[in-house]
Amino acid sequence: MRLSRFYLPTLKETPKEAEIASHRLMLRAGMIRQSSAGIYSWLPLGFRVLRRIEQIVREEQDRAGAQEMLMPTIQPAEIWRESGRYDDYGPEMLRITDRHERELLYGPTNEEMITEIFAATARSYRDLPKMLYHIQWKFRDEVRPRFGVMRGREFLMKDCYSFDLDYEGAVRSYNKMFVSYLRTFARMGLKAIPMEADTGPIGGDLSHEFIVLAPTGESAVFCDRNCLDIDVLSEDIDYGDDGALAAIINRFTTLYARTEEKHDTAAFESRVAKDRRYEGRGIEVGQVFYFGTKYSKPMGAEVIGPDGQPATVEMGSYGIGVSRLVGAIIEASHDDAGIIWPDAVAPFDAEIINLRPGDEACDAACMEAYARLGAAGRDVLYDDRDERPGVKFADADLIGIPWRLVIGPRGIKDGKVELKRRDGTVADEVALSAALDRLATAPRG
Ligand code: 5CA
């Protein structure tokens, strides 16, 4: 993509309404634009990141054995009356009446809808176990939408629902999702710690929130810093091996990690050495729930069991804040000049900066780089604009593409270019061909 053609409306000034870095940087980098409080349009740069995050979530859901589907955003009030949540949910729910005076709502979550589908279509224990998910926009009329996409009113969520014949099966599904969450967030370059949590309006007996430690987070959390050292990506995971899943989960759950609602100061102090205690804030990027028959019972989701008797299915639900993750990743990875994208979610793999468009040698070298990297399957942004180098460097720092190839008239005379990483780990003067070899084979995360 040539930057001269790309729709990238960056801002010079820091927007006044943005209180935290990620919100400020997303507005300045032209990633999003507010439509009304807590509701955003995703401009091309932001949408590219959103899609990459969504794709990682999808791959890890599929790997864990969940199947993708798509449910509507608008739901009938009726199914929420059946579960008993229509009145309980309160003013956060956006209630709508259609022209026939039918009561509808914009879904804040989908337990009722998926349970209704399952109740109407599953017959036998042979239909179990199942894990079904979708990635769909949700609406919650938050009292205080803030921090940009972190606490929006309309936001993109991945929500998965599990159906099992008994408690043991439900725990197995919970464990699969638990492990898939660890992998999902790690692939995005995040350290998300599973913490014992309250179940809130979803309900149930067992829940973990996945928290990225950050001073700007909205959740108060307490944990053992050793949680940060556990590597979850180095080993291959067999989702059919219950023991292996439980072993991975145990590595986390034996360490103290709780949200404020579950916190117990005495247990924290006795279990965690002083220098390992983290008492601070975090961003909740996902939450998993086991709630047994809370929805399946009132909504009649039964199957015929192996003994010929009807059995109410056991359920859990598993959410990931897909749009919130864009903000969370920026909170975890930025500096004063701008965003530093982890390779796996970056909007482009590399940016080519032409320091003197119009100079024959520079133009030719840039075009060679652009073509070669494109042929190698890399997404490249080419800054071919007629702007001063200072402006180009500032924009490149702001939008944070991981690799940068700087091509200028002085270097190119000797066949040299500058190859840099946005995170500061590489800054080399090398021959153009060497830089291209390196970029064409660099890991994409
Ligand atoms: N039905 C369950 C799981 S599928 C559920 O709704 N869980 S939740 O309420 O915890 O939401 C799942 C995830 O969505 C949260 O962990 C959070 O990352 C994200 N989320 C929740 N509210 C918002 C919001 N207002 N703005 C952005 N993301 C949100």
Side-chain angles (χ1 to χ4, degrees):
M1 176 66 69
R2 283 169 181 268
L3 192 39
S4 59
R5 295 181 196 158
F6 191 52
Y7 190 62
L8 184 70
T10 55
L11 305 175
K12 296 265 167 323
E13 279 82 44
T14 299
K16 282 190 297 297
E17 72 272 24
E19 297 167 63
I20 62 171
S22 58
H23 189 193
R24 230 169 10 245
L25 290 170
M26 286 181 78
L27 291 170
R28 282 194 49 217
M31 292 177 66
I32 52 168
R33 181 162 174 82
Q34 183 174 305
S35 164
S36 56
I39 303 181
Y40 293 87
S41 293
W42 292 78
L43 306 181
L45 189 77
F47 191 51
R48 279 177 169 258
V49 176
L50 189 68
R51 277 200 319 221
R52 287 202 80 186
I53 291 174
E54 189 182 315
Q55 186 54 22
I56 292 175
V57 170
R58 178 175 289 121
E59 286 168 14
E60 294 301 328
Q61 289 290 291
D62 293 347
R63 197 194 298 267
Q67 297 171 41
E68 189 168 14
M69 59 183 292
L70 185 59
M71 289 178 269
T73 54
I74 305 289
Q75 307 186 16
E78 209 172 291
I79 54 176
W80 286 68
R81 291 219 166 83
E82 261 183 69
S83 74
R85 270 208 295 186
Y86 191 66
D87 295 324
D88 295 352
Y89 214 91
E92 261 194 22
M93 184 189 277
L94 181 64
R95 295 156 209 257
I96 310 162
T97 309
D98 72 9
R99 59 166 71 189
H100 304 294
E101 299 293 316
R102 281 189 203 110
E103 290 174 288
L104 301 168
L105 57 100
Y106 195 121
T109 174
N110 280 61
E111 279 81 5
E112 282 76 2
M113 185 167 278
I114 193 79
T115 308
E116 192 275 329
I117 292 171
F118 208 78
T121 52
R123 308 257 170 274
S124 140
Y125 70 94
R126 290 190 204 87
D127 295 323
L128 302 173
K130 283 284 174 300
M131 295 193 290
L132 301 169
Y133 75 98
H134 73 162
I135 301 175
Q136 178 62 292
W137 294 91
K138 304 288 187 289
F139 192 92
R140 293 182 186 174
D141 203 354
E142 303 275 353
V143 196
R144 258 195 94 194
R146 58 182 190 154
F147 301 159
V149 299
M150 293 273 233
R151 180 160 299 279
R153 293 198 297 162
E154 190 183 48
F155 59 98
L156 189 59
M157 191 203 284
K158 183 285 301 178
D159 37 327
C160 181
Y161 303 87
S162 64
F163 300 89
D164 284 276
L165 187 61
D166 50 26
Y167 174 75
E168 288 69 35
V171 169
R172 206 172 297 131
S173 297
Y174 188 90
N175 287 354
K176 285 181 184 173
M177 279 296 132
F178 194 115
V179 170
S180 93
Y181 277 32
L182 293 172
R183 285 186 53 88
T184 303
F185 300 126
R187 277 186 61 189
M188 296 172 192
L190 289 174
K191 294 242 175 231
I193 303 173
M195 303 201 185
E196 291 171 43
D198 254 0
T199 55
I202 308 294
D205 311 321
L206 173 63
S207 181
H208 287 88
E209 285 181 9
F210 288 73
I211 303 273
V212 175
L213 303 184
T216 47
E218 291 190 279
S219 311
V221 297
F222 302 81
C223 71
D224 186 329
R225 286 180 194 276
N226 282 358
C227 291
L228 293 167
D229 299 331
I230 306 176
D231 172 19
V232 293
L233 287 182
S234 58
E235 53 197 293
D236 258 350
I237 284 174
D238 174 1
Y239 282 98
D241 183 344
D242 296 346
L245 296 183
I248 294 166
I249 293 170
N250 268 338
R251 268 191 263 157
F252 283 95
T253 51
T254 48
L255 295 171
Y256 190 99
R258 297 189 192 173
T259 58
E260 192 173 27
E261 298 78 26
K262 291 278 180 186
H263 179 56
D264 170 349
T265 308
F268 187 50
E269 289 175 359
S270 73
R271 286 175 53 191
V272 189
K274 212 170 191 167
D275 60 327
R276 295 204 324 258
R277 286 181 206 150
Y278 177 90
E279 271 188 70
R281 308 202 70 81
I283 303 166
E284 179 206 323
V285 288
Q287 187 165 5
V288 291
F289 303 83
Y290 161 71
F291 45 70
T293 59
K294 177 173 182 213
Y295 300 91
S296 49
K297 199 168 185 163
M299 300 188 70
E302 287 181 347
V303 292
I304 302 297
D307 55 1
Q309 298 301 309
T312 303
V313 299
E314 288 268 327
M315 289 178 60
S317 74
Y318 316 90
I320 290 183
V322 176
S323 48
R324 175 179 287 184
L325 272 165
V326 182
I329 291 168
I330 297 173
E331 285 301 319
S333 187
H334 69 272
D335 61 17
D336 289 343
I339 303 166
I340 305 173
W341 290 115
D343 293 277
V345 301
F348 294 93
D349 300 312
E351 174 167 352
I352 299 169
I353 296 182
N354 188 343
L355 289 183
R356 189 157 319 149
D359 175 284
E360 220 171 286
C362 285
D363 290 352
C366 287
M367 280 318 291
E368 181 188 340
Y370 190 50
R372 163 97 198 272
L373 295 175
R378 303 292 145 147
D379 253 340
V380 180
L381 185 65
Y382 170 25
D383 192 346
D384 60 340
R385 295 174 304 170
D386 193 15
E387 288 282 2
R388 282 179 297 113
V391 171
K392 295 190 175 194
F393 290 136
D395 280 347
D397 282 344
L398 175 62
I399 65 177
I401 292 163
W403 287 100
R404 186 183 305 175
L405 189 62
V406 185
I407 298 179
R410 230 170 305 151
I412 211 68
K413 266 207 298 259
D414 310 320
K416 291 282 174 65
V417 297
E418 194 188 12
L419 182 64
K420 277 180 99 167
R421 288 276 297 171
R422 175 65 179 86
D423 62 11
T425 54
V426 176
D428 295 337
E429 279 252 316
V430 289
L432 176 61
S433 61
L436 296 181
D437 286 343
R438 181 137 181 218
L439 281 179
T441 53
R444 296 188 77 212

